[in-house]
Amino acid sequence: MSTRTPGSRIRAAVGDPRQSGPAATPRQDAVTAALSAWLVGGLMLDAWAHSNVPELESFFTPWHGVFYTGFAATAAWILLLVWRNIRLGARGFAAVPLGYRAAVVAIPVFALSGVADWSWHTVFGIEQSIDILFSPSHLGLVAAMFIIVTAPVRSALARTELPSTLGALWPALLACGMAAALVLLFLEYGNAIVYSAGAIVWSFSTDQGPDIRRLAAGMVITNIVLLTPLLYLARYWRLPFGAALLVILPSVVLSGAETAVENLGVLIGFACGALGVDLLAQWIRPTGERRGAYQLFAIVAPLFLWSLYLGVASSSVGHPPTIVEFWTGAPVVAGMVGWLVSGVLLPRRLA
């Protein structure tokens, strides 16, 4: 007769949490990133619907279908990776690929949040305004999504050697871009990319009222959200050409979905700005070992990006904002904020 307690049997099945699993292959991370794009794309469709379909009254919509099937495909793939390792003899924590443990935990959290979201909409209806960004069920969904889609980043960091090439790093880069888009989606009230060219020039042409404050704050928030993943990755790898585009483009696509692409000039300008940041990264070569170059990139990249943002808006309207201090100083503020972010991500070592 066995004397093992239920707790000891569970511990035996789960294994030692300090025991790491096998590393995922680059191809497996690529599949995870591609399926995550399906999931995030479904959320972008849903964001478009909430912004552009005022008669939306049902939980069961085509965009929810894309969203939840994207989750099902991503979750099934991650669990398949675990099952393959179990079939090879691994047990418990040792069966979960490196970097995927948090994603395995987030899968049931997402499922429970989805059920809670259906219940929430049944009781309280469908949100049509900014209240959608504060729904508890939506916050649960996006938090779980953030953990799931960033699995390729953690997997890449767990490898002992990974070349700094776009072919090797694109799953981690795209994962960071999708994570940034998720954050910017739920900070939509501080997203400067959704402004039209006319709104940008108008807002910076008055020193009174809420418009100038909203745009100025939005530039700071958007700058931090988009710059942080680039600087985080630059701590570990030299950024290949295309890194900034992969990190920034998901947020541009999201912003286009929210505005029904009515601010096309600003969106194109921001995408071109990402390519410019890529060129700056090749010239400056910021890495964790080159602290000066790292800090210089953190200053120059946002200075360039937001100067282009204001330049595109001014060109579209035909003139710059009337208050010179705003359109000349805002990119400088962005550069200073970038320098502060670099100090947080790459602090000076204490002697």
Side-chain angles (χ1 to χ4, degrees):
M1 183 175 180
S2 175
T3 59
R4 297 176 67 183
T5 64
S8 64
R9 286 195 291 270
I10 293 174
R11 285 192 294 271
V14 172
D16 187 350
R18 294 170 294 182
Q19 185 177 4
S20 59
T25 66
R27 181 173 295 182
Q28 289 171 340
D29 285 344
V31 173
T32 304
L35 292 175
S36 296
W38 177 359
L39 170 61
V40 175
L43 184 61
M44 290 182 181
L45 282 174
D46 191 50
W48 168 85
H50 280 281
S51 299
N52 299 284
V53 184
E55 67 274 12
L56 184 64
E57 295 179 354
S58 174
F59 177 84
F60 299 98
T61 62
W63 27 90
H64 270 185
V66 176
F67 177 53
Y68 283 105
T69 54
F71 162 71
T74 307
W77 167 250
I78 293 174
L79 295 177
L80 177 62
L81 295 180
V82 177
W83 175 245
R84 285 176 176 176
N85 292 330
I86 291 175
R87 293 192 65 181
L88 293 174
R91 292 293 179 268
F93 290 102
V96 183
L98 289 172
Y100 282 77
R101 187 178 295 181
V104 170
V105 175
I107 287 172
V109 174
F110 183 101
L112 291 173
S113 297
V115 174
D117 191 41
W118 172 76
S119 302
W120 185 276
H121 289 320
T122 301
V123 176
F124 298 106
I126 305 295
E127 298 91 347
Q128 297 288 348
S129 185
I130 197 173
D131 54 348
I132 192 175
L133 307 177
F134 296 92
S135 166
S137 58
H138 289 167
L139 295 174
L141 287 168
V142 76
M145 282 181 66
F146 186 94
I147 295 171
I148 291 170
V149 303
T150 51
V153 183
R154 296 187 296 274
S155 177
L157 290 172
R159 296 195 184 97
T160 54
E161 292 185 5
L162 191 64
S164 296
T165 63
L166 190 64
L169 288 177
W170 78 261
L173 292 166
L174 180 59
C176 277
M178 291 187 291
L182 290 176
V183 173
L184 200 58
L185 173 61
F186 275 76
L187 295 177
E188 186 264 340
Y189 41 84
N191 181 2
I193 311 178
V194 300
Y195 280 71
S196 66
I200 294 168
V201 173
W202 168 262
S203 298
F204 272 3
S205 295
T206 176
D207 58 359
Q208 300 295 328
D211 292 332
I212 171 59
R213 290 174 172 81
R214 289 195 186 113
L215 179 56
M219 288 178 65
V220 171
I221 292 170
T222 308
N223 185 42
I224 293 173
V225 171
L226 296 183
L227 184 63
T228 299
L230 271 177
L231 292 178
Y232 177 78
L233 292 167
R235 291 176 57 186
Y236 305 102
W237 299 286
R238 179 179 172 181
L239 297 175
F241 185 81
L245 185 63
L246 279 175
V247 169
I248 293 175
L249 192 58
S251 293
V252 175
V253 174
L254 166 69
S255 302
E258 292 183 315
T259 60
V261 201
E262 292 181 354
N263 59 336
L264 182 60
V266 173
L267 297 173
I268 294 175
F270 223 89
C272 292
L275 291 174
V277 172
D278 272 321
L279 292 174
L280 287 172
Q282 301 311 298
W283 173 51
I284 299 174
R285 295 182 292 118
T287 63
E289 290 76 29
R290 303 180 73 243
R291 182 181 179 84
Y294 187 89
Q295 291 181 324
L296 178 62
F297 176 75
I299 296 171
V300 175
L303 180 64
F304 163 77
L305 187 61
W306 293 103
S307 294
L308 182 63
Y309 170 83
L310 292 168
V312 167
S314 300
S315 177
S316 298
V317 174
H319 62 84
T322 57
I323 300 181
V324 178
E325 290 83 355
F326 288 155
W327 60 268
T328 57
V332 177
V333 171
M336 294 173 66
V337 171
W339 175 65
L340 292 174
V341 172
S342 73
V344 173
L345 292 178
L346 193 68
R348 187 177 298 277
R349 292 182 178 179
L350 297 177

